[in-house]
């Protein structure tokens, strides 16, 4: 008898729960994603300041941190602690996945525009792609999902990231 009542309540409340999820998405998650993605875009745009265009000496290459370590790793840690940790699990997963997907497309687009790119710049970019992948894996993990980067958004963003590594 209690199970029947419980089931009837769940069925009756389902439209309201769906409406709440829709409202949360439109009013909270979408603006939050846009704001976070703007921060990511601003950080990624810094790659055009000459990070990959300069030919560095061997000593500079060994002592210089990568672009990802300087500009993105701390940003993704901040996103995880400031935003994702404050959201309920299902919303944090959505937010982390959306930011990771956007980050990949934005990074690939910016990297494709880097010109002229010498051999040293290509090596740095290849290393940064590996660092970038690790930083995003950590962001997605901190978002609370068991999915890997290759499983987010049908794997298309990850496939694009991997394709850039081949160049």
């Amino acid at each position: 008898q209690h199970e029947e009542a419980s089931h009837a309540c769940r069925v009756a409340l389902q439209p309201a729960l769906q409406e709440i999820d829709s409202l949360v998405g439109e009013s909270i998650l979408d603006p939050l994603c846009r704001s976070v993605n703007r921060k990511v875009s601003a950080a990624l745009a810094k790659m055009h300041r000459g990070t990959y265009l300069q030919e560095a000496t061997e000593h500079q290459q060994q002592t210089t941190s990568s672009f990802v370590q300087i500009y993105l790793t701390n940003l993704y840690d901040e996103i995880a602690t400031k935003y994702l940790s404050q959201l309920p699990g299902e919303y944090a997963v959505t937010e982390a996945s959306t930011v990771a997907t956007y980050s990949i497309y934005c990074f690939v687009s910016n990297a494709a525009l880097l010109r002229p790119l010498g051999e040293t710049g290509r090596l740095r970019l290849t290393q940064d792609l590996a660092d970038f992948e690790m930083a995003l894996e950590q962001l997605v993990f901190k978002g609370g999902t068991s999915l890997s980067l290759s499983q987010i958004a049908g794997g298309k963003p990850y496939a694009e990231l991997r394709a850039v590594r081949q160049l």
Side-chain angles (χ1 to χ4, degrees):
Q1 188 177 33
H2 292 296
E3 288 179 22
E4 287 178 26
S6 173
H7 179 70
C9 286
R10 266 196 303 266
V11 170
L13 291 175
Q14 191 60 36
L17 292 173
Q18 289 173 340
E19 186 63 31
I20 290 170
D21 279 343
S22 175
L23 185 64
V24 166
E26 292 171 6
S27 302
I28 298 170
L29 295 181
D30 290 348
L32 180 60
C33 279
R34 282 193 301 273
S35 174
V36 169
N37 286 341
R38 275 193 300 272
K39 287 182 179 188
V40 170
S41 290
L44 286 170
K46 293 176 183 174
M47 76 170 49
H48 298 286
R49 291 185 179 170
T51 304
Y52 300 104
L53 306 178
Q54 304 164 358
E55 294 297 324
T57 65
E58 190 173 318
H59 176 70
Q60 286 174 323
Q61 288 177 359
Q62 292 173 355
T63 59
T64 305
S65 295
S66 75
F67 173 81
V68 172
Q69 292 169 344
I70 294 169
Y71 294 107
L72 298 176
T73 303
N74 290 337
L75 176 61
Y76 290 135
D77 286 342
E78 177 188 337
I79 290 168
T81 56
K82 193 173 180 181
Y83 302 113
L84 299 181
S85 66
Q86 305 298 319
L87 294 171
E90 65 188 81
Y91 299 136
V93 168
T94 301
E95 183 79 14
S97 299
T98 303
V99 170
T101 299
Y102 179 82
S103 295
I104 290 171
Y105 287 134
C106 194
F107 188 94
V108 168
S109 296
N110 279 286
L113 295 173
L114 293 173
R115 298 285 185 269
L117 198 57
E119 190 60 35
T120 304
R122 285 189 192 133
L123 291 173
R124 282 190 206 154
L125 186 56
T126 301
Q127 180 59 47
D128 276 351
L129 284 166
D131 291 345
F132 182 64
E133 188 176 329
M134 289 298 295
L136 288 180
E137 286 283 1
Q138 290 177 357
L139 176 70
V140 169
F141 177 75
K142 289 177 182 177
T145 184
S146 60
L147 295 176
S148 70
L149 209 52
S150 62
Q151 297 170 315
I152 292 175
K156 291 177 185 176
Y158 184 73
E160 189 170 319
L161 182 65
R162 298 299 285 186
V164 169
R165 284 183 92 174
Q166 302 303 319
L167 303 175

